[in-house]
Amino acid sequence: MVQHVEQNLQLMTKRAVKAENSATKLKQENALLQVQLKNYKTENEALRSGQSASLAVVKQNADVALQNLLTVITNSRSSIKQLVSGAESLQLVADLLKSIDRISEISEDGQ
């Protein structure tokens, strides 16, 4: 039983690590997209002062950045949900391990 719980704990730990790595990757991608969005905004300002490409190109770039940001947000939410789920599972395993200790203490006292 303990070996099974340990295997489950290892599996859940791997899942949590994977979710954390995914969340980190998505945060990095989000930061990159925010830089791109800032650049597009700067380009938009330059356009208004007559120093850049047409407004249509800027709008298209901003739309692409917006879509990328929305994708990152969606993926981040999913990763965060997975991470929370993994943490809850790890807590359950920890509680099970605590209860096993209590059972063994009761058995020793009863003998």
Side-chain angles (χ1 to χ4, degrees):
M1 165 97 173
V2 172
Q3 184 180 14
H4 181 66
V5 170
E6 288 175 349
Q7 288 173 346
N8 284 340
L9 180 59
Q10 288 175 349
L11 179 63
M12 287 181 231
T13 301
K14 287 179 184 177
R15 286 178 52 205
V17 168
K18 184 178 178 182
E20 286 176 349
N21 290 339
S22 179
T24 300
K25 180 183 173 186
L26 290 171
K27 285 178 185 178
Q28 291 171 346
E29 186 176 335
N30 188 12
L32 174 65
L33 290 172
Q34 287 179 358
V35 169
Q36 287 178 337
L37 182 59
K38 182 180 175 184
N39 290 340
Y40 293 145
K41 286 181 179 181
T42 302
E43 186 177 348
N44 193 18
E45 298 267 340
L47 172 66
R48 288 184 182 179
S49 64
Q51 299 174 2
S52 188
S54 72
L55 180 60
V57 171
V58 173
K59 184 179 182 319
Q60 182 181 5
N61 289 342
D63 288 343
V64 169
L66 175 62
Q67 290 303 316
N68 289 338
L69 283 172
L70 291 174
T71 300
V72 167
I73 289 168
T74 300
N75 292 338
S76 295
R77 286 183 179 150
S78 174
S79 293
I80 290 168
K81 286 179 184 177
Q82 288 176 350
L83 183 60
V84 168
S85 175
E88 290 171 351
S89 297
L90 289 174
Q91 183 63 52
L92 177 63
V93 169
D95 292 342
L96 279 171
L97 291 173
K98 284 180 187 176
S99 68
I100 289 172
D101 287 344
R102 286 189 211 124
I103 291 170
S104 66
E105 289 174 8
I106 292 170
S107 296
E108 291 173 7
D109 291 344
Q111 291 180 354

